[in-house]
Structures are given as C-alpha cells and as structure tokens.
Amino acid sequence: MNRLTKLFREKSSDLLNVYFTAGYPQLNNTVTIIRELDRAGADLIEVGVPYSDPMADGETIQKSSMKALQNGFTLKVLFDQLREARQHTEVPLVLMGYFNQVMQYGMERFVKAAKEAGADGLILPDLPVFEYENEFKHIAEKYDIQVTFLITPNTSQQRIEQIGQLSTGFIYVVSSSSITGKSGEITQAQKDYFARIAALNLPQPRLIGFGISDAKSFRTACEYANGAIIGSAFIRALAGRDDVAAATREFVESVLEPVA
Amino acid sequence: MTKNLHIDVDERGYYGRFGGAYIPEMLHPNVEELRLRYREMTAEPEFKKEFDALLKDYVGRPSPLYFAKRMSEHYGTQIYLKREDLNHTGAHKINNTIGQILVAQRLGKKRIIAETGAGQHGVATATVCALVGVECIVYMGEVDIARQAPNVARMRMLGAEVRPALSGSRTLKDATNEAIRDWINNPDDTHYIIGSVVGPHPYPDMVARFQSVISEEMKWQLQEKIGRDYPDAIVACVGGGSNAAGAFYHYLNDDRVRLVSVEAAGKGIHTGESAATSVLGTEGIIHGSRTLLMQTDDGQIVEPYSISAGLDYPGIGPLHAFLIDSKRAEAISVTDDDALAAALFTARTEGIIPALETAHAFAALDDMEYGPDDVIVVCLSGRGDKDLAAFTTYLDQLKDS
C-alpha cells in the first residue's frame, strides 16, 4: 500500500508535513534530515527538488535551491539518497519540484525512478490540470505515485471540485495568494477560507501550507484541516547550522510543543 | 500560396506541441480571465478604435518602410527596412504595451508590472502607465540595469519604479521570474504586461496580435512600393521573439515568404556563452510555456549570454519554437562581434544606428543567400541610443587594433 494512503488511514488530524530542500545545506544532508524529521515526529516529508527557476517560491527556497545546485545536486543524487533513506524509515515521502525537470528526465522514467527510490507522492505546482489529465495521470497511476494539486483563496468552487476529483494524494491548501516563505498571523479572512474549503467535504485529506512557520500557526491550521506544511521556516532554521540533525530535532520539537 | 499552411494557436494556447499555460494555481484565475476574454475584448469596435488612434497619434504609426539603397547595393539585393525604431520610445515594444494597457483598464487593474531586458519594454510600459496614470513597477536584472543605464533613467523619469532582479544570472530570465512572483503575490489589483511572445497562453498570441500591425502595414506598403504585397524574405531578431512575431504574422501561412529568425550566438554557439536557443535548446517549460529552451540534461535552465540584453534569454516564444521545429522559419545565429560590426555598417551606410538586438538581424544578411531582384524586409526593431556605451567601447577597440 502507498505509504500516504496508510498514513491517512491511521491519522486524520494534526498531520505535520515538513518541507526541506534536498542537498541543502550540504549535498549529503538529505538522508540525515529525513531520518531526523521522522524521529522527531513529522508525519510526512516533502522533499524539495532544487530547481534553477522556482517561480512559486520565495527567497528562502530559491536560495536553498541555488546552494543545493552549487553543491552538485542532480536527480541521480536525489534518487540515490532516497534509496538510502528508505533503508531506515517508512515515513511517507512526497517530491516537490517543477514540471520541466520531469519532462527533461522523461515523464515515465522520472515517475518510475522516484517510485523505485521510495517516493510516495509528487507535487508539481506548474503542471496544469488539463495537461496532467492528458499526459501524466496514467503514468502516475501506473506506478502508484499520488499527485497533489494546490488550491488557493482565488480558486473557483468548480475548479476545486475538479481538483478534488483529480488529486490522488492530499490537497494542498495554499493559505494565501503568495509565493512561499511569508510568515505572520493567520487572519480571519484566511480562517474563513479554510472553513469554506473544510465545508466542501472533499474526499482527500487537506494540508494547509504557505505561511505556516511555528507552533502557533501550525495549531491554528490544524483546526481547519487535517494538518499543515512547514517549509521556509525550517530552511531558515537550518541555515548556518553545522549540526543539521540537532537543528532538525529542535525545529520539529518547537513546532510540536503545546501552545500556551 | 502554393501550400496550405494553417499556423495558428489552438484554444489551449498550443502551436503544435508548443505553448500552453504551465503555471502555478496561484496564477490561474488571472491567466484564465485573460484567456477567456482577450480575443473578444480586443475585437470590440471601441477597443480597436482606441488602439488604432493611439498607434497613429501617439506612437506615430504607420512606421515607414524604407528602401535602403546603399545597403542594397552593397549586398546586391533589394533591402527594405521596417522602421519600428521611429516609433515613440524607439522600438516596436510600444505596439504591445498600448494594447495591454487598454486590456488592463478593461480588467479594472490599477497596478502594472513588467519585466525588461534591454529596457525598451520597460520604457514602453512606463510610458503607457504614465499615459493613463497608473502605478508601474518594472523588474530588470541587475546586470541589465548596469548595461542599459539610459533606459533605466528614462523609466524613472516616467515615474516607474525599477526593481533589480538579483537572482540567477540577473538578466531577463530572472526579471521575468521576479515579475511572475510579484503577480502571484498581488493577484487582485495587478496586470502583468509581458513584453514578448513568451509566457503562459494567452500571452504569446495576445502579444503577437498587438505586434501584427508591423506586417499588416508591410502588406500595403510593399504593394505601393513594389507592386506586390509580399516580400521574398523577412529578417528579424529573436530573443523572446515579439518583433519577429509581428513582422511574420500576416505571412505565416504564405510560403512564398521566407521567414528568417536571427538569434544571439554570444561569443560563439559552442563557447558556453551563447543564447542560440534553436541550436542549443531542447523542449521544456520556461515561464509557463512549453517551448525550446537551453537547459542541462537534468532539466536546470542554463544561464544564457549575449552582449544584447534583449536577446539574452534562454528560451524563445512557442510560436518560434513551432516555426523552427516545422522548418517554416530558418534560424541564423550571430555573434556579439558580428552584431557590433553590423551596427557600425548600418550606421555608416544608411545613417541609422540600430539597437544591438536589431544589429543581429542586419548581420544575418551576410549569411543569407538571395538573388539581385529579391525583396528582403529587415525589421528594424529599435534604435541604438541605449547601446552607445557598447558601441563606444567597440569603436575604441577598433582604433586600438
């Protein structure tokens, strides 16, 4: 069974999904970070695939991606690292990258390699629904890789329903119309939007991402969805730290600690 | 026409397999609104009237089609120059920004963003924003800000804010990334005026339609001058490809007309410092469009190089990818040095200083074959005032060597 399916059967609230950029801060930190995130209590992990032109990402993820590429990151390195991580952990792994990387590698070749390396899901923010249905869906289904789509405060009801029908993994509820890496208080307007999406009773679990950065925003997001995704805040916590294992543990602990 | 060509974009924005709209969901509502409305909106009589009036009285159209006598004698053929350099702001870019500002007004957008390479599109955008009185922010690579200083000054004079793009190669590609990110962050009040036939559908088609006035005028101008409404060849430089798209547009399906796309070879195609996408590019996604682009085997976009900021881009518009892939257009690559020499030659033969981008199109005349009676139109996309620093350096080098 796909590890994501198993996870969502066993747990349906307070799911913590942590994003990190593969190959950052050092090329060989990927396995350590996956293992430590798992041990410290992340329920699933989003492995950012560094890309030269990440148009949906803010400065933090852009810079970590550039650093990873300078470190020598390639898809071959990534798949080797995932295989190694899989010898130690069964935590669900979702790859998040851009469609050009998949196209250039070869769509089927990429999905097959990802699956064999131990990935369970895929998020390609610039793969449109129409092209997904035409060119990609049958490949993802063949290899049992779950594909997640994003919805935003401006996504129409009709389109949310369409995405609800197509998403095989969880639904990524983008908290505000923005690129990644913003933080701050969750506003009432955002809460209303989360509640509106929750009321649709979509078949998939919903995880809220973009702007979730600490215990407080994580808890708030979990009130309106099955869990939340933290990315840029974790990348910032890794910056300048030599002991990435300790930095990872400390970060997850800080997110999971009870909020007064 | 001897063959039945049907080159046009389909409903989803594809020319053959190139095009589409590969964008994050955050951009979907804005791009979808444009997709659903752009054709109808721009076909309205009121829109056409306003657009045509501004092109005539504000831009100064029609731009002349000029017979370049001395250049023709030199090459032994008949060369005509489509003088887009004589437009207000000095390049073809304003044809598109006039159209798009009218679109933005109809969409109720109060804030305009744009990317620019050479600064010509930035100036053209700042100009139309001043014309209608809306806020204007132009993203420009830090490298380009330095090498196109006169245009930066013009944008500021016109009231635009020029924001440096500090990521990647700090050129046009990165300015485009920053503009896209701005649009993601400001979806409600902002319209993004893309300057070339790139980006997600409907931009490539919308921009090509606004630029198509170039070939629309060429038809009747040629009829007047040579007694037939088509040339034997059209030569235009291609970065993203907007002046070429406009110059080719009404001849796309007329196979009596050779279409010649001129790319920047930089320091040489295989030097690692080039922007010759038709040779070095493979199929992929850049800025929301499936097209040819320069990338590594691992799908990372390669940082291009050209002395010309407007051609220093690792992709080409999807229409051009289709034209080259289908062999409808022929691609010629021109190095920095040959472009500089062609700029000097054009200045001294015809008394016209072309933009560095356009100089690439002139240099291609050295690599083409033609007969003495062939009629060749070169799209003179912009004037070279902004490039005087590069030309001065070149002249000094000639003197020293």
Side-chain angles (χ1 to χ4, degrees):
Chain A
M1 186 191 294
N2 187 298
R3 295 175 193 88
L4 286 164
T5 309
K6 186 161 176 288
L7 169 68
F8 297 141
R9 278 190 192 169
E10 288 166 0
K11 189 172 174 184
S12 61
S13 62
D14 300 330
L15 289 160
L16 174 62
N17 179 357
V18 180
Y19 169 101
F20 76 102
T21 305
Y24 175 85
Q26 302 299 323
L27 187 63
N28 60 8
N29 287 150
T30 306
V31 177
T32 308
I33 290 173
I34 290 173
R35 294 183 69 181
E36 291 301 327
L37 284 172
D38 177 34
R39 275 188 204 146
D43 296 296
L44 65 162
I45 297 170
E46 228 167 273
V47 183
V49 187
Y51 186 51
S52 56
D53 293 75
M55 74 160 101
D57 287 304
E59 207 178 345
T60 303
I61 292 179
Q62 286 173 45
K63 285 192 170 159
S64 64
S65 298
M66 286 313 276
K67 178 71 169 34
L69 291 170
Q70 284 158 8
N71 289 344
F73 172 90
T74 62
L75 290 172
K76 184 182 181 304
V77 167
L78 173 69
F79 294 138
D80 288 344
Q81 290 175 341
L82 295 185
R83 253 188 296 279
E84 192 188 332
R86 272 286 169 248
Q87 296 178 358
H88 306 285
T89 170
E90 284 297 303
V91 68
L93 296 173
V94 177
L95 302 185
M96 182 160 184
Y98 285 82
F99 189 49
N100 190 53
Q101 300 171 289
V102 177
M103 266 187 82
Q104 182 70 1
Y105 198 84
M107 288 186 231
E108 178 150 6
R109 183 170 167 242
F110 182 97
V111 173
K112 186 166 184 270
K115 182 68 180 185
E116 283 172 2
D120 305 289
L122 191 57
I123 306 174
L124 299 167
D126 61 343
L127 174 61
V129 168
F130 174 80
E131 279 74 11
Y132 167 75
E133 272 195 287
N134 270 351
E135 297 188 69
F136 202 73
K137 188 164 176 275
H138 68 282
I139 299 172
E141 284 171 356
K142 179 175 169 188
Y143 294 96
D144 190 24
I145 285 281
Q146 299 189 356
V147 178
T148 282
F149 286 94
L150 278 57
I151 60 177
T152 81
N154 291 333
T155 306
S156 69
Q157 175 88 15
Q158 185 195 5
R159 193 165 164 84
I160 292 172
E161 282 164 12
Q162 186 189 14
I163 287 170
Q165 281 167 12
L166 285 176
S167 266
T168 46
F170 60 91
I171 297 223
Y172 198 128
V173 180
V174 177
S175 69
S176 65
S177 296
S178 74
I179 53 175
T180 57
K182 294 207 168 156
S183 53
E185 288 281 303
I186 291 177
T187 64
Q188 188 56 46
Q190 286 176 292
K191 290 178 185 171
D192 293 345
Y193 152 64
F194 299 152
R196 172 166 66 85
I197 304 300
L200 295 175
N201 290 318
L202 296 168
Q204 301 87 346
R206 286 162 288 113
L207 302 182
I208 295 172
F210 287 41
I212 311 300
S213 60
D214 54 15
K216 191 170 175 221
S217 47
F218 176 66
R219 286 292 150 208
T220 306
C222 287
E223 287 172 30
Y224 295 91
N226 306 87
I229 306 158
I230 301 186
S232 299
F234 177 50
I235 307 287
R236 285 194 283 267
L238 289 174
R241 292 285 299 262
D242 292 327
D243 188 348
V244 297
T248 303
R249 275 195 304 275
E250 287 162 25
F251 183 79
V252 175
E253 281 162 13
S254 77
V255 172
L256 291 177
E257 77 186 11
V259 179
Chain B
M1 288 177 225
T2 53
K3 246 195 320 191
N4 284 325
L5 296 168
H6 292 287
I7 299 169
D8 198 3
V9 74
D10 72 16
E11 194 199 339
R12 292 260 159 206
Y14 284 90
Y15 304 88
R17 63 179 194 278
F18 300 107
Y22 295 79
I23 49 167
E25 185 61 29
M26 292 79 90
L27 287 177
H28 185 270
N30 275 332
V31 172
E32 183 69 359
E33 182 181 31
L34 267 183
R35 183 178 81 89
L36 293 174
R37 294 186 57 189
Y38 82 107
R39 284 206 187 188
E40 176 198 347
M41 200 190 300
T42 53
E44 281 166 13
E46 205 41 47
F47 185 101
K48 286 173 84 81
K49 202 174 137 197
E50 212 177 329
F51 181 62
D52 291 346
L54 283 169
L55 287 187
K56 178 168 177 283
D57 299 328
Y58 187 71
V59 175
R61 301 203 72 95
S63 69
L65 183 72
Y66 162 73
F67 176 62
K69 184 163 173 286
R70 295 187 65 214
M71 190 178 277
S72 295
E73 282 166 5
H74 173 87
Y75 283 108
T77 189
Q78 311 299 311
I79 297 171
Y80 287 81
L81 309 181
K82 182 58 176 160
R83 297 292 308 272
E84 295 299 304
D85 60 319
L86 294 177
N87 292 339
H88 178 44
T89 71
H92 70 289
K93 292 292 187 187
I94 192 131
N95 303 328
N96 168 48
T97 61
I98 293 272
Q100 284 205 50
I101 200 73
L102 298 179
V103 167
Q105 285 186 310
R106 278 155 181 77
L107 295 172
K109 305 290 187 180
K110 304 287 182 219
R111 180 175 176 273
I112 298 296
I113 55 171
E115 85 296 336
T116 197
Q120 288 301 129
H121 174 59
V123 169
T125 304
T127 298
V128 297
C129 288
L131 180 68
V132 304
V134 294
E135 185 185 358
C136 178
I137 291 146
V138 179
Y139 289 90
M140 187 169 188
E142 198 182 28
V143 169
D144 295 338
I145 286 178
R147 63 177 161 172
Q148 304 278 224
N151 276 342
V152 176
R154 292 167 79 198
M155 285 184 267
R156 291 190 173 136
M157 179 75 190
L158 291 160
E161 181 192 341
V162 181
R163 289 193 188 162
L166 304 172
S167 56
S169 52
R170 292 167 291 134
T171 59
L172 180 54
K173 162 176 90 75
D174 313 287
T176 309
N177 286 337
E178 291 308 321
I180 290 172
R181 289 179 186 125
D182 182 308
W183 209 19
I184 290 174
N185 285 332
N186 299 284
D188 297 327
D189 63 342
T190 299
H191 175 68
Y192 177 18
I193 300 189
I194 295 185
S196 192
V197 288
V198 302
H201 178 66
Y203 279 102
D205 184 49
M206 181 169 68
V207 176
R209 283 165 181 260
F210 289 140
Q211 292 294 358
S212 70
V213 66
I214 300 172
S215 49
E216 192 182 309
E217 290 171 1
M218 270 161 56
K219 286 194 114 165
W220 61 260
Q221 289 170 323
L222 284 166
Q223 185 68 46
E224 270 180 22
K225 288 185 196 311
I226 64 167
R228 59 174 159 102
D229 69 356
Y230 66 96
D232 296 293
I234 303 170
V235 185
C237 63
V238 173
S242 67
N243 90 82
F248 295 169
Y249 195 88
H250 289 285
Y251 299 104
L252 286 172
N253 293 317
D254 185 344
D255 75 347
R256 297 170 301 188
V257 183
R258 286 167 65 192
L259 307 178
V260 181
S261 311
V262 186
E263 299 180 319
K267 294 183 178 168
I269 288 179
H270 300 293
T271 60
E273 292 184 89
S274 179
T277 307
S278 76
V279 184
L280 301 170
T282 53
E283 195 174 327
I285 310 289
I286 183 169
H287 298 138
S289 181
R290 186 169 183 156
T291 185
L292 295 173
L293 63 128
M294 292 163 51
Q295 56 183 325
T296 67
D297 292 343
D298 225 34
Q300 305 291 341
I301 297 179
V302 167
E303 296 180 357
Y305 165 80
S306 166
I307 191 175
S308 146
L311 305 183
D312 195 353
Y313 184 72
I316 48 175
L319 167 64
H320 294 292
F322 177 79
L323 294 178
I324 285 165
D325 187 65
S326 65
K327 305 224 173 352
R328 173 68 188 95
E330 43 196 297
I332 291 179
S333 307
V334 167
T335 62
D336 290 355
D337 288 346
D338 289 347
L340 285 164
L344 188 66
F345 176 75
T346 305
R348 297 191 178 178
T349 311
E350 293 294 343
I352 297 170
I353 302 174
L356 260 175
E357 290 74 26
T358 315
H360 286 73
F362 281 113
L365 292 169
D366 289 319
D367 298 327
M368 287 172 61
E369 285 177 17
Y370 32 71
D373 298 323
D374 283 1
V375 172
I376 296 171
V377 175
V378 178
C379 187
L380 213 177
S381 56
R383 68 181 186 220
D385 308 42
K386 68 186 179 60
D387 298 310
L388 284 175
F391 295 147
T392 305
T393 306
Y394 177 65
L395 287 171
D396 290 345
Q397 280 168 358
L398 288 181
K399 206 166 59 186
D400 295 342
S401 61

